[in-house]
């Protein structure tokens, strides 16, 4: 059973950068992704990737600012976040799954079976 552990969140001023990491205990799945959820709001797909082949998919609100990278040898997926804005404030979750599903500007890495996600890491931009 895959366990996902996120790290790298924190507080930063607008315009700053953060790099999130997600380590998958049993190796990277067919797809890996990040979504975020702010208090009182629904999930927003941030970025997803097929680690073995690419490509990458990004939510409309983060295109050009965020980059997802998979390091298969390290069982780790990174999310580099640049030019951060206050509206990027949210809890960020790493997911592992089988396929990437895109709809209305949101892309999620999904599983046919049990949803796999980590405990989340908080990002606060002021």
């Amino acid at each position: 059973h895959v366990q996902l552990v996120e790290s790298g969140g924190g507080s930063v001023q607008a315009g700053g950068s953060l790099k999130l990491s997600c380590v998958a205990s049993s190796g990277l799945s067919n797809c890996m992704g990040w979504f975020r959820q702010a208090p009182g709001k629904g999930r927003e797909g941030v970025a997803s990737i097929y680690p073995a082949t690419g490509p990458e998919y990004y939510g409309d609100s983060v295109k050009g600012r965020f980059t997802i990278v998979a390091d298969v040898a390290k069982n780790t997926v990174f999310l580099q976040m640049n030019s951060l804005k206050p509206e990027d404030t949210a809890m960020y979750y790493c997911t592992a799954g089988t396929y990437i599903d895109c709809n209305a500007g949101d892309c999620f890495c999904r599983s046919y079976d049990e949803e796999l996600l980590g405990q989340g890491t908080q990002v606060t931009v002021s």
Side-chain angles (χ1 to χ4, degrees):
H1 186 77
V2 177
Q3 289 187 325
L4 306 175
V5 179
E6 302 104 329
S7 62
S11 297
V12 65
Q13 291 188 334
S17 299
L18 284 173
K19 186 175 183 178
L20 306 184
S21 300
C22 171
V23 179
S25 62
S26 302
L28 300 184
S29 296
N30 191 57
C31 70
M32 302 292 296
W34 293 90
F35 73 86
R36 65 189 182 188
Q37 189 163 22
K41 295 187 177 181
R43 294 181 177 183
E44 180 183 3
V46 175
S48 297
I49 187 171
Y50 291 108
T53 61
E56 304 84 40
Y57 300 82
Y58 296 96
D60 288 346
S61 64
V62 306
K63 284 179 182 176
R65 300 188 297 123
F66 291 11
T67 303
I68 186 170
V69 174
D71 188 329
V72 177
K74 295 183 178 179
N75 295 344
T76 303
V77 173
F78 301 98
L79 183 68
Q80 178 67 47
M81 305 186 295
N82 298 327
S83 302
L84 284 162
K85 305 175 181 179
E87 50 263 45
D88 294 318
T89 296
M91 186 72 80
Y92 284 69
Y93 296 90
C94 177
T95 62
T98 306
Y99 67 100
I100 295 173
D101 177 32
C102 294
N103 185 34
D106 275 333
C107 291
F108 294 89
C109 169
R110 299 194 188 277
S111 174
Y112 291 113
D113 302 312
E114 178 184 3
E115 182 179 50
L116 296 172
L117 68 162
Q119 82 286 352
T121 185
Q122 177 68 37
V123 171
T124 303
V125 185
S126 59

